[in-house]
Amino acid sequence: MDSLSINSLLEDLKNPDETVREHATRKLWRIWFKQKGISGLETIDRSQKLLDAGELAEAETVLNQLIKQQPDFAEAWNRRAFLYYSSRKYYKSLADCQKVVEIIPVHFGALHGMGLCYAALGEYGEAIKAFQRALEIQPYSLVNQKLILECTLRIS
């Protein structure tokens, strides 16, 4: 997909119409998941099935191999960040989220993940910054707005 289409979807995330925003969100996720074609998508699906089955080490191995083969596949890094976050390995998750944002600076999911990691580590100021960056991309995101308020309360 060309950058004009992506830019249009990013603008749609700021639309007051919830239906327009939801459509743009789904389409961006689809683009990110399909970045490396069907092979990459199938590998991510396999890792998710392993994660759902509680086979964390196997899921991590699958994602590690995918990242090694395709280090510019942002969603592979993002899925591993989710796996690490789920395992309470917040520093590892944070590093993977940062890698996603290096590859796709507008990846609101990774920015949200960074905020969650910082909050879990008690670094509420950094969490707020990450959630605010996500809100710049998705200004109607109620979850990020709520998390900013929660982190602000923890600081004060």
Side-chain angles (χ1 to χ4, degrees), residues 16-122:
D17 185 333
E18 183 177 359
T19 305
V20 172
R21 292 192 312 268
E22 287 176 2
H23 177 263
T25 300
R26 280 193 307 275
K27 200 142 187 183
L28 283 165
W29 278 113
R30 197 171 316 126
I31 290 167
W32 295 336
F33 271 93
K34 292 183 175 179
Q35 178 191 359
K36 293 296 181 176
I38 194 73
S39 173
L41 182 59
E42 287 174 349
T43 304
I44 284 179
D45 284 345
R46 191 167 82 244
S47 74
Q48 186 61 48
K49 286 178 180 144
L50 289 165
L51 183 60
D52 292 344
E55 299 178 30
L56 302 179
E58 294 86 349
E60 182 180 4
T61 298
V62 168
L63 291 169
N64 287 344
Q65 290 170 348
L66 182 57
I67 289 167
K68 186 176 180 181
Q69 293 167 354
Q70 300 182 19
D72 62 338
F73 188 7
E75 205 51 44
W77 290 95
N78 195 51
R79 297 313 306 158
R80 193 175 71 176
F82 176 78
L83 182 147
Y84 287 149
Y85 180 81
S86 300
S87 304
R88 298 180 181 214
K89 297 176 182 174
Y90 302 122
Y91 288 107
K92 284 184 165 190
S93 180
L94 187 57
D96 280 2
C97 287
Q98 290 168 334
K99 184 65 177 177
V100 175
V101 174
E102 282 176 32
I103 298 167
I104 302 175
V106 294
H107 198 297
F108 48 83
L111 291 166
H112 174 80
M114 287 171 65
L116 291 175
C117 289
Y118 281 126
L121 293 166

